[in-house]
Structures are given as C-alpha cells and as structure tokens.
Amino acid sequence: MKSLKTGAVLLLLILVLGVAAQAAEKIVIWDKSEYIPAYNQYMRQAVNDWAKKNGVEVEYTVVPPADLITKLMAAIESGNVPDIATVEVGMVAQLAGMDAVIDTNDLITSIEKQNNDKFSHGALRLVTIDGVRRGVPLATFPAALYYRKDLLKAAGVEAPQTLDDFRKVAKATNNPRGGVYGAGIPLGRSGGGDIEGWIRNIIWANGGSIFDKDGKTVVVDSAQNVKALQALVDMFKVDKTIPPGALSWDDGGNNNAYMSGTAVMVYNSGSIWANMVQMKHPLLDKTGIVPMPAGPAGRFNVGGGNTMVIFKKGHPKLASSLVRSVLAIDNYSNLLPKMCPMWAPVFVGMEKLAFYQDPNNRAWLQAGQINVNLGYPGPTTPWAGETMSSQVMLRALQSMIVDNVPVKEGLEKAKAEIEQIKAKYNK
C-alpha cells in the first residue's frame, strides 16, 4: 500500500510539474494598435510564426493606445502583467522607475549580432534610462519639413538645410497679398504640441535647452534660447512670414494650411504625407521633404517611437527570443516600407534598402535618426513632461508676440513657472 501511495504522489507531482511547465510555455503580448493596419497584421503573423517554430502558445492582444497605459498600470498593481508590451517611448521611463521591466542591454547586443546591423543612436537614446536600456526600439516617429517645390523654384531658392536658410526661404516665398505665407508655424493653445516641439527643436539646434544634463537645473533663460525665440518673434512681427491667424491654430492648423496651399513650409509628422497619398492630393507631386533644419549645434527633434518592453514578472527568456524573431532583419525590412512615413527604421543599415533611395522616403529615414527625449540633454522626467503638456514655452512665446514682453523677460518668467512645476515632484 505504501508503494502505491508513493507512486500516486509521484504521479501527481509529475502531473503538477507538467501543467506548470505547460503554463510557463505561454507568452502574453499586449500590442498597441496602429493607424496603418499593416503593422498589426505583420506582428500577428510574426508572433504566430515564432510560436509554431518554438512550440509555445502565444496570446496576442491589440490594445488601443488610449487604453494601453491604464491597462498596464492595473496589471502592474495586480501583479498579473503580460510578458511583452509595445508602448510609446514616453512610457519607458515610467515603467523603469517602477522596476517593472528588464534591462535589455544584452538583448539589444544579440539582436545587432543576429542582424549584422546596429540600432541607430537616435533609437537607442529614446529607450535609455539612466544609462540602462529598458526596452527594444521598434520604430521612431519622424517629423520633417514639408515644402512646396514649385514655389521654391519660382523664388530661386533651395530647400532649407539650416534654420538661417529656413528664415530666408520663408521670406523669399512669402506672398501675403496672394494669401500664401512662407512659414506655417502654429501658435495657438488649442493643442499646442506642435509648437511646443518646434520651440524645443530650435533651442536645441542653437545649443540651448530647457533643463541641463542633470535633468533638474532649469536653464531655459540662456543666451542661446533668447536668440532662438527672438528669431521666431521676428518671423511673426518683422518678416511677417507666419500667418496672423496662426495665433489661434490648433495642431491641425498647419496641416490644413499646407494642404489648402496657404503655407509654403510646415513642420509635421508623416500624417500630412499619408493623408495626401490617400486623397491623391494635387500638391503631392509638388511637395518635397527634408529633415528638421540644423542650427549651430545640429539637428534635433523632440520625438517618440514604439518600443517593446519585457516584464520581469513574466518569462523574460522566452520573451527575448520572440523579440529577436520579430526584429529579424528579413522580416523587419519588409515591414518598414508599409509603415513609412509614419515610422522610421531603428537600424542604421536600413538606409541601403531600395525603398529609401527615393529622396522623399530617405528624408523620413533621416528624420527618425535625430529624435531626442523631452528632457534632453538630461533624462525624461515628470516635470519635463508637465512643462510640455502645460505649454509653458508656447505661452511665453505668445506673451512676446502679443503683449510685447521682451524675450529675455519672457524666458525668465517661464523659468520661474518651470521651477514651480519641478518643485511639486521634489518635495
């Protein structure tokens, strides 16, 4: 009897261990839905191919971006997290701060070795938190300067490569009497994300910043920033190349101005291009694309992207294997042309693809390689995020334009407001 009981216990133990082993062979992925359906179709197929090859069950769920953050926060609180989630880069620092996701330094190295290609500096910069990579870049979101090729040609000027060129081209093509303005820069508070980003881009290009490298010291009133903002004020008040109505534009204002033919140049994401392609817009063939114009310190864009994060409480080894498969170069290089211009690649070698030999497509590739985080040259912080979302820089610029506040004084007031925002998080 004793041997029978022992045998029964051993059998039960084997069954329990077998069930546990089977349970461990399931991967759960929460993936954000994308504007272009080809992405989720690609991911579902790539995940299924990997699952079949490795004999692992995979639960692949597409989650709307607006719901993903809430869903992940609830999962972390309950301890029932997915193995992998695809999130926008802005969330990487938050997840890292909660100690929820793994260090991906070794995984990134193995993917580079597998693909015989390097991740771009811009892509890695967006997932690096305090010197440690906490995700694997999947795509960067590029923004670029749209310009009317026909109007530039008529004015005898070339597409601007520098900020000085940008101002000169705006003046050369400006025709207010004809209802056409050289620079479609949105200056309204209904949205404000586009202008908040543009301001950061030009101050970085001029060698300035809002925060210093430590992420805490507020340096928004620097001489470099005074120069950058003064140029914007002068474009509106002296050059008159920015439409007066731009003071009431939301983030769709520059899109509409370009597609209606009332702005010669606008800076925007790939959404304008995608819309013009879909609409077979008459200006599509007259449109050129170049990356963000450079300043003395280079080209910068406050950008985002998608990254795959792997949760510590899941199955990191299996999850890492799946991520390596998804980013295998043969698969990834087929996906990218379908996602352009909303996405730019994360690998340096992508520039060799035939698709990117077209000048317009290549501009999107280059644009995705200059992205930096909100806190640059420091880390992304909650106060850097709130400074952006509360439109501190836009309101400062509006006071300079509308209320004639001197630029230096306007930036000093902005500094005081940013210090107050930061203090809320550093009590």
Side-chain angles (χ1 to χ4, degrees):
M1 292 290 293
K2 184 175 181 180
S3 61
L4 287 175
K5 288 182 179 179
T6 302
V9 169
L10 287 172
L11 179 60
L12 179 62
L13 182 59
I14 290 170
L15 290 172
V16 168
L17 290 174
V19 170
Q22 289 178 2
E25 297 301 308
K26 178 179 179 180
I27 295 291
V28 176
I29 303 172
W30 292 353
D31 197 5
K32 65 190 285 283
S33 58
E34 284 292 333
Y35 175 76
I36 300 175
Y39 165 70
N40 293 116
Q41 294 167 3
Y42 160 81
M43 280 295 292
R44 190 177 296 277
Q45 185 63 53
V47 165
N48 288 338
D49 288 347
W50 176 88
K52 184 177 181 180
K53 181 179 179 181
N54 291 275
V56 178
E57 182 183 352
V58 177
E59 181 184 304
Y60 176 75
T61 303
V62 177
V63 184
D67 300 332
L68 185 58
I69 295 176
T70 302
K71 189 176 175 71
L72 281 173
M73 291 301 101
I76 292 170
E77 186 174 347
S78 68
N80 188 25
V81 295
D83 296 279
I84 302 170
T86 303
V87 300
E88 293 195 20
V89 293
M91 197 176 180
V92 176
Q94 185 176 358
L95 294 173
M98 300 171 75
D99 198 30
V101 294
I102 70 167
D103 171 339
T104 57
N105 282 325
D106 290 342
L107 175 56
I108 283 171
T109 299
S110 71
I111 292 171
E112 290 182 330
K113 184 177 180 180
Q114 161 192 281
N115 290 354
N116 193 29
D117 199 357
K118 294 286 187 181
F119 283 94
S120 70
H121 178 64
L124 291 178
R125 187 162 48 192
L126 293 175
V127 300
T128 303
I129 311 299
D130 294 331
V132 179
R133 292 153 184 167
R134 293 292 183 175
V136 177
L138 186 60
T140 58
F141 300 155
L145 188 73
Y146 293 74
Y147 66 92
R148 286 280 299 275
K149 293 187 291 186
D150 56 331
L151 298 183
L152 266 65
K153 183 178 181 181
V157 291
E158 300 290 332
Q161 296 298 324
T162 69
L163 288 173
D164 287 342
D165 291 343
F166 175 74
R167 187 171 176 184
K168 290 175 184 176
V169 170
K171 287 194 284 187
T173 58
N174 203 43
N175 182 17
R177 289 186 177 181
V180 179
Y181 289 83
I185 299 175
L187 300 175
R189 297 188 188 182
S190 298
D194 281 6
I195 184 58
E196 282 287 324
W198 177 261
I199 292 172
R200 283 159 175 76
N201 294 350
I202 64 171
I203 65 176
W204 287 325
N206 277 281
S209 62
I210 295 177
F211 299 95
D212 210 342
K213 291 181 180 180
D214 61 6
K216 297 180 180 179
T217 306
V218 183
V219 291
V220 73
D221 57 339
S222 68
Q224 297 97 319
N225 293 356
V226 171
K227 178 182 177 182
L229 270 292
Q230 186 66 60
L232 271 180
V233 172
D234 290 346
M235 285 184 71
F236 187 92
K237 301 178 74 171
V238 180
D239 303 349
K240 301 186 186 300
T241 53
I242 302 174
L247 286 167
S248 62
W249 283 1
D250 59 16
D251 279 351
N254 53 352
N255 301 50
N256 295 332
Y258 188 81
M259 289 193 288
S260 67
T262 60
V264 178
M265 297 183 294
V266 298
Y267 188 77
N268 209 285
S269 70
S271 59
I272 294 179
W273 189 270
N275 286 337
M276 289 198 298
V277 169
Q278 187 176 26
M279 297 167 60
K280 298 181 179 178
H281 199 285
L283 289 181
L284 185 61
D285 291 337
K286 299 177 181 179
T287 297
I289 301 290
V290 290
M292 175 72 196
R299 301 179 194 266
F300 297 87
N301 179 63
V302 55
N306 282 347
T307 187
M308 301 181 78
V309 292
I310 298 173
F311 288 86
K312 289 184 174 181
K313 289 189 176 181
H315 305 101
K317 288 186 178 180
L318 277 176
S320 296
S321 173
L322 176 52
V323 171
R324 276 194 297 270
S325 179
V326 166
L327 284 168
I329 203 69
D330 290 343
N331 296 330
Y332 189 72
S333 60
N334 288 326
L335 173 67
L336 258 296
K338 299 174 184 176
M339 299 304 295
C340 184
M342 302 302 290
W343 278 21
V346 295
F347 294 108
V348 175
M350 293 287 99
E351 65 184 25
K352 298 176 183 177
L353 290 178
F355 176 80
Y356 286 113
Q357 304 319 303
D358 178 282
N360 286 329
N361 294 336
R362 194 169 188 82
W364 291 113
L365 180 148
Q366 294 167 337
Q369 295 174 344
I370 61 172
N371 284 2
V372 295
N373 64 57
L374 280 177
Y376 183 83
T380 298
T381 60
W383 47 93
E386 185 171 334
T387 298
M388 176 88 167
S389 62
S390 61
Q391 303 175 345
V392 173
M393 299 306 295
L394 166 60
R395 288 186 281 106
L397 178 59
Q398 283 188 333
S399 73
M400 300 166 196
I401 292 172
V402 178
D403 301 323
N404 296 314
V405 173
V407 172
K408 177 68 173 175
E409 181 182 333
L411 288 175
E412 288 170 349
K413 290 181 179 179
K415 181 177 182 178
E417 184 176 353
I418 295 169
E419 293 282 11
Q420 290 179 341
I421 290 173
K422 188 184 71 172
K424 296 191 300 183
Y425 297 92
N426 292 277
K427 293 180 179 178

